[in-house]
Amino acid sequence: MQKVSEMTVKNLDHLGLIAGLIDEIGIVPKINELVGEQPGEIVSPGLVVKAMLINGLGMVSAPLYLFSKFFEGKAIEHLLGEGIQASHLNDDRLGRVLDKLYLAGITEIFTTIALEAAQKFEINTDTSHLDSSSFHLHGKYEQEVPSVSFSVTEINGNQLDNSSINHQTSPTPIQITYGYSRDHRPDLKQFILDLICSGDGDVPLFLRVASGNESDNSIFASICQDFKKQLNLDSLMVADSALYTAPNLEMLTNLRWLTRVPLSLKQAQKLVSQLNESEFHDSSVTGYRWSEHKSNYGGIAQRWLVVESRLRRDADQRKLSKNLKKAEVEGQKKLRELSNIEFACSADASAAASRLSKQLKYHNLTQITSREATAKPATNLTISHEKSSSRLIFKVQAQLEIDASVVARIIKASGRFILATNVLDAEQLSPDEMIVKYKEQQSAERGFGFLKDPLFFTDSVFLKSPERIEALTLIMGLCLLVYTLGQRLLRQNLQLTNKTVKNQLGQVTNRPTLRWIFQTFQSIHAVCIQGIQQVSNLTSERLAILNLFPVTCRSYYFLL
């Protein structure tokens, strides 16, 4: 009879898929190359990063401050290498690696890895999507944390005295401060994360972290320039209206761009509200129509495409109906308040009514008159010319009516927005392609949605050093890179082999989320019986899914 001591059981679950994807991308050797290894290290920086990525994609809401605890009961040697224990992944080791990543350059490391991955996985980079979001932090951050510093020789991995510090090698850390919160938490300090993702599979290609009070309008053009310089890609850059300012457009003359025109521009407001139905063309994109125009805004020749969305038009008109009802209630209230005010002369009463009328968005005051009345003694007048006990006063009388011309203009503009591009040749970028590529802007938004999911470890950022927070954004970006590449590869192989898998509802699909695949791999164990390694609970369904992944993933389950 076999003794219990001769058998060990460790959880493997979906972590083998993550480890295999990390190996396929080549993250471990690249990190070691970029930040350097130290003699005698039990766990190299690359392996620490691999462990952090496994932790981040563990989908169990296990934040980094519980890092070593996350690996308790996991098949850690199977995933990271023989002899590696959870105790080796302690706070001190984690912090040191985060410091090294920071000093080596967060954007530089990520861009290097992402570009090589994009080439290896043949990611289509014809279109790239830029967006930003804020991540809030808990804590006061009242004092600046001293910058971490290492000697240049230590960063490069050479054995020299660590007391030889070159402080100039340390970049300037971001500021953890208040700013416009996309999380609707203006009470908390934050930092900003900028992402550029491919239209092909939502794969992140560029990452940048910034201070919490940075404005998109002031930095988006510079980000586009850095992206082109570092990746050397002739990609159509797609962004939201934050990119569309005259100074930004002037900076982007060497780039192809597609962005949304803010309707705060008078030229844009006029165009969307004056176009007639007959000036629109039906788009091949269902539910859309467009009307093309030329513009020279900011001194840059460009094409403006006024787009009308059927769904958005219906939503805008429903919203308008609600706003009209609310505005009428508020307008009547203001009119009652005005009618109770006593004026010394008719001209003052009429002027006050005119001022109120101009303040109303959807209504006008009509039939404005002033009614004469006698003031009671001791009445406080708004404007007083006499000090008699009985005075002649004036009160406003008016009617609140909808401004039909304003409402008609809003209805006409409902559902409409403007896209702009400096690609002047419609054969290179047709109106329908402009609509399709702008709709793909959701690729970056989905990336932020993934990073802010409560199951991901950045739902609540807890590190107290700005430098380490910056380094953590690199881990966040690499997690997103691993996830999107794995999901794209899975879907691609399902389509190539004409196969399907069952989704959460039990229905077949060839576009499953990788998260669902992770869930289907729960309760898989790495079992060692008298020194012989085995993997349990590999059902036929799981085996079929494994064959859709590269051999680096299968090796963690088939023990290749």
Side-chain angles (χ1 to χ4, degrees):
M1 184 174 179
Q2 182 176 294
K3 297 180 180 179
V4 175
S5 61
E6 296 176 347
M7 180 177 71
T8 59
V9 179
K10 300 287 186 180
N11 292 334
L12 180 57
D13 303 326
H14 68 286
L15 304 183
L17 293 177
I18 301 171
L21 290 169
I22 294 169
D23 296 344
E24 186 71 12
I25 297 170
I27 292 177
V28 173
K30 182 56 64 175
I31 291 291
N32 289 335
E33 174 189 335
L34 294 173
V35 307
E37 295 182 74
Q38 293 293 306
E41 288 180 328
I42 298 176
V43 188
S44 71
L47 281 177
V48 172
V49 169
K50 181 179 181 179
M52 286 191 278
L53 298 181
I54 292 173
N55 180 191
L57 293 169
M59 300 301 175
V60 292
S61 190
L64 288 182
Y65 65 82
L66 297 176
F67 189 62
S68 59
K69 190 173 183 62
F70 168 82
F71 283 100
E72 292 179 4
K74 303 289 195 304
I76 187 169
E77 289 188 81
H78 188 61
L79 294 167
L80 298 179
E82 186 177 353
I84 297 179
Q85 304 296 324
S87 59
H88 296 145
L89 301 171
N90 53 49
D91 293 345
D92 180 66
R93 182 64 185 142
L94 178 67
R96 287 181 176 273
V97 171
L98 288 174
D99 292 341
K100 284 191 173 186
L101 293 173
Y102 168 77
L103 289 172
I106 301 307
T107 297
E108 292 76 7
I109 293 175
F110 183 83
T111 302
T112 300
I113 295 173
L115 181 58
E116 290 186 5
Q119 294 171 341
K120 180 174 184 177
F121 286 78
E122 299 181 344
I123 304 298
N124 187 331
T125 56
D126 290 346
T127 305
S128 302
H129 299 266
L130 167 64
D131 205 353
S132 69
S133 191
S134 59
F135 288 78
H136 61 268
L137 302 100
H138 297 274
K140 294 183 179 180
Y141 291 88
E142 292 178 343
Q143 297 179 346
E144 183 178 351
V145 180
S147 297
V148 293
S149 296
F150 288 92
S151 62
V152 176
T153 51
E154 182 188 14
I155 298 171
N156 293 334
N158 297 326
Q159 296 183 54
L160 290 184
D161 186 358
N162 286 347
S163 64
S164 174
I165 302 295
N166 183 347
H167 292 277
Q168 294 182 352
T169 65
S170 179
T172 302
I174 60 171
Q175 292 183 347
I176 308 302
T177 187
Y178 298 105
Y180 174 70
S181 174
R182 280 81 160 181
D183 298 333
H184 307 292
R185 290 300 306 269
D187 57 312
L188 296 176
K189 294 183 179 181
Q190 63 181 24
F191 64 89
I192 303 296
L193 182 61
D194 301 307
L195 273 182
I196 296 179
C197 297
S198 69
D200 177 13
D202 304 345
V203 178
L205 302 173
F206 184 89
L207 174 148
R208 175 182 174 274
V209 62
S211 299
N213 58 356
E214 184 177 83
S215 169
D216 292 348
N217 303 70
S218 64
I219 199 65
F220 265 14
S222 297
I223 294 173
C224 293
Q225 293 284 17
D226 291 344
F227 173 73
K228 180 177 177 62
K229 181 180 178 180
Q230 293 194 37
L231 275 73
N232 193 28
L233 297 176
D234 185 24
S235 185
L236 176 70
M237 184 59 61
V238 184
D240 62 23
S241 59
L243 181 66
Y244 199 86
T245 66
N248 282 350
L249 299 187
E250 187 176 355
M251 290 178 61
L252 297 175
T253 52
N254 63 331
L255 285 168
R256 297 184 301 130
W257 49 262
L258 169 67
T259 185
R260 187 166 174 164
V261 179
L263 292 181
S264 56
L265 295 179
K266 291 183 178 180
Q267 182 182 351
Q269 291 177 358
K270 183 178 179 180
L271 184 59
V272 297
S273 62
Q274 291 185 350
L275 281 176
N276 296 317
E277 297 291 319
S278 59
E279 298 179 76
F280 282 85
H281 303 272
D282 289 333
S283 172
S284 61
V285 184
T286 304
Y288 290 89
R289 300 192 306 159
W290 54 264
S291 178
E292 190 170 17
H293 303 265
K294 292 182 180 180
S295 175
N296 198 47
Y297 179 78
I300 305 298
Q302 55 197 275
R303 294 157 58 206
W304 275 18
L305 192 72
V306 181
V307 182
E308 184 179 272
S309 164
R310 184 185 307 149
L311 289 176
R312 179 169 180 154
R313 182 189 61 200
D314 294 342
D316 284 352
Q317 292 184 5
R318 287 195 298 269
K319 183 178 180 180
L320 175 61
S321 180
K322 292 180 180 178
N323 288 342
L324 287 175
K325 293 179 181 178
K326 182 178 179 181
E328 183 175 5
V329 172
E330 293 177 352
Q332 293 288 5
K333 178 182 177 181
K334 290 180 179 179
L335 179 57
R336 285 195 300 271
E337 292 173 350
L338 178 63
S339 64
N340 289 328
I341 298 176
E342 300 173 353
F343 296 91
C345 65
S346 176
D348 290 344
S350 297
S354 296
R355 287 195 298 270
L356 175 58
S357 185
K358 291 177 181 179
Q359 294 172 7
L360 301 174
K361 184 175 181 179
Y362 304 106
H363 296 80
N364 281 328
L365 293 185
T366 62
Q367 303 178 37
I368 300 174
T369 60
S370 55
R371 176 173 57 86
E372 295 183 3
T374 301
K376 298 178 181 179
T379 298
N380 292 324
L381 299 181
T382 302
I383 301 176
S384 177
H385 298 292
E386 301 180 17
K387 295 186 178 180
S388 61
S389 60
S390 178
R391 295 178 297 275
L392 187 65
I393 61 171
F394 297 85
K395 291 188 176 182
V396 170
Q397 285 185 323
Q399 295 293 322
L400 183 73
E401 293 185 3
I402 287 181
D403 189 330
S405 62
V406 169
V407 173
R409 189 166 61 249
I410 294 174
I411 291 175
K412 200 170 190 179
S414 62
R416 295 178 181 177
F417 58 94
I418 301 177
L419 300 179
T421 181
N422 63 343
V423 180
L424 302 179
D425 188 351
E427 292 187 1
Q428 295 182 16
L429 185 64
S430 70
D432 288 341
E433 288 174 327
M434 290 174 66
I435 296 173
V436 170
K437 293 186 182 300
Y438 187 78
K439 282 170 63 68
E440 291 174 353
Q441 179 68 3
Q442 294 176 351
S443 61
E445 295 171 3
R446 283 190 290 267
F448 287 122
F450 171 84
L451 295 176
K452 293 187 177 185
D453 190 287
L455 286 179
F456 194 64
F457 60 43
T458 53
D459 175 55
S460 178
V461 179
F462 44 84
L463 298 176
K464 297 305 178 186
S465 160
E467 294 89 350
R468 290 185 178 179
I469 288 172
E470 289 192 52
L472 180 64
T473 63
L474 172 62
I475 304 303
M476 293 163 55
L478 291 176
C479 281
L480 182 60
L481 179 68
V482 171
Y483 183 88
T484 52
L485 285 173
Q487 181 169 270
R488 177 183 178 276
L489 182 64
L490 171 65
R491 292 176 175 180
Q492 192 176 54
N493 287 337
L494 282 170
Q495 293 173 2
L496 288 174
T497 57
N498 198 28
K499 294 180 180 179
T500 59
V501 297
K502 290 184 178 180
N503 63 15
Q504 297 93 316
L505 302 177
Q507 300 171 342
V508 295
T509 179
N510 63 356
R511 290 184 58 81
T513 64
L514 190 58
R515 173 173 298 180
W516 169 244
I517 298 301
F518 287 171
Q519 292 178 354
T520 64
F521 270 61
Q522 298 306 300
S523 301
I524 295 179
H525 302 102
V527 182
C528 182
I529 302 177
Q530 295 183 327
I532 300 176
Q533 294 279 356
Q534 299 180 37
V535 175
S536 67
N537 291 338
L538 285 178
T539 63
S540 58
E541 179 185 13
R542 290 168 174 170
L543 289 171
I545 292 174
L546 278 172
N547 285 323
L548 298 167
F549 286 91
V551 66
T552 50
C553 295
R554 299 197 298 271
S555 64
Y556 286 94
Y557 298 91
F558 297 162
L559 304 181
L560 300 177

